[in-house]
Every structure is written in C-alpha cells, then in structure tokens.
Amino acid sequence: MKRILLVDDSRVTRELMKVYLIARDVTLLEAADGAEALAKVKADPPDLVLADLRMPQLDGVGLCEALRADPRTRGVPVLILTSERDTESAMRARSAGAREVLRKPIQPQPLLEAINRHLATDAARP
C-alpha cells in the first residue's frame, strides 16, 4: 500500500485532501508544517509528498530542498500545492525539486491524475 504525506498548515485543507484520497488504496500521513514533515520523511520516507507552498517554520520550497539534499529522500516525489498565481512561485518550487505544482483550490480529478502519474513513474523505476 502506497503512503502519501499531506503537509499543510491548514487543518481544513488536510481534511479536504483526505476526502479526495480516502477512496484510493493508500495510507495517509499528515504534517502541519514543513519542519514536522521533514522529520517524518527522514524517519520513514513515504511514496509521495503533497505539500503546501506557504507554511510556517519551513515552506514547501525549503522542504523540497531539504529532501533533495539527502540521498535517502532525494527520490521521494513532491507535489506542491499553492494559491499563488504568479509563475515565479511555481518556478521556485520546480527549481527546488518539486515534480509538479498544482493550483488551489485543488480539484479532485487533476489531483488524483497527478498522484497516479507520479506514483506510476516511481513504480516503473528500477
């Protein structure tokens, strides 16, 4: 069973994501900010991380950079969620190692397609 870590400082957003993902055959983990997420990923890397761009303590870009700097977590796909509309935010997230940037408000279908795409890509790797 695949493990997905949801990282967002908004409990409401995390609950909404859980509603979208509950029908999938996955284990959902949660973190309220990037620092908590980084500790959880380093302890036991999930198969995919869904992280908000803007969070206290450690934002989504900082989380991506920290994961890419560690050989144990370098390959964990990170999808960034953001309400930012400027292209600079998306470019910063991609430069930090995010596989994809999804715009809030998140719609279920694009979210599930992105998750499937990145979990399938990782499953195909040797």
Side-chain angles (χ1 to χ4, degrees):
M1 184 175 292
K2 298 287 185 176
R3 298 170 60 243
I4 296 176
L5 175 61
L6 304 173
V7 189
D8 200 302
D9 54 319
S10 166
R11 189 167 88 35
V12 172
T13 300
R14 290 194 316 270
E15 292 301 318
L16 178 63
M17 295 296 186
K18 289 193 311 193
V19 168
Y20 291 165
L21 298 172
I22 203 75
R24 285 193 44 95
D25 193 21
V26 297
T27 299
L28 298 174
L29 311 167
E30 292 182 60
D33 61 53
E36 181 184 354
L38 184 59
K40 286 185 175 193
V41 172
K42 287 187 176 269
D44 189 13
D47 296 296
L48 185 129
V49 175
L50 287 171
D52 189 24
L53 179 66
R54 303 256 184 243
M55 295 180 288
Q57 295 189 40
L58 184 64
D59 67 7
V61 169
L63 176 61
C64 279
E65 290 171 342
L67 295 177
R68 296 304 162 252
D70 185 336
R72 272 186 33 131
T73 59
R74 185 172 291 141
V76 175
V78 177
L79 308 183
I80 293 290
L81 313 174
T82 183
S83 56
E84 302 288 326
R85 296 293 178 223
D86 62 285
T87 56
E88 183 181 319
S89 295
M91 287 174 34
R92 280 184 347 155
R94 285 194 173 274
S95 293
R99 297 266 182 97
E100 198 162 333
V101 178
L102 302 168
R103 303 273 183 223
K104 290 181 177 180
I106 300 297
Q107 298 300 312
Q109 196 60 35
L111 174 67
L112 294 174
E113 288 171 359
I115 289 170
N116 288 338
R117 193 167 38 252
H118 295 287
L119 288 178
T121 299
D122 278 8
R125 288 188 181 153

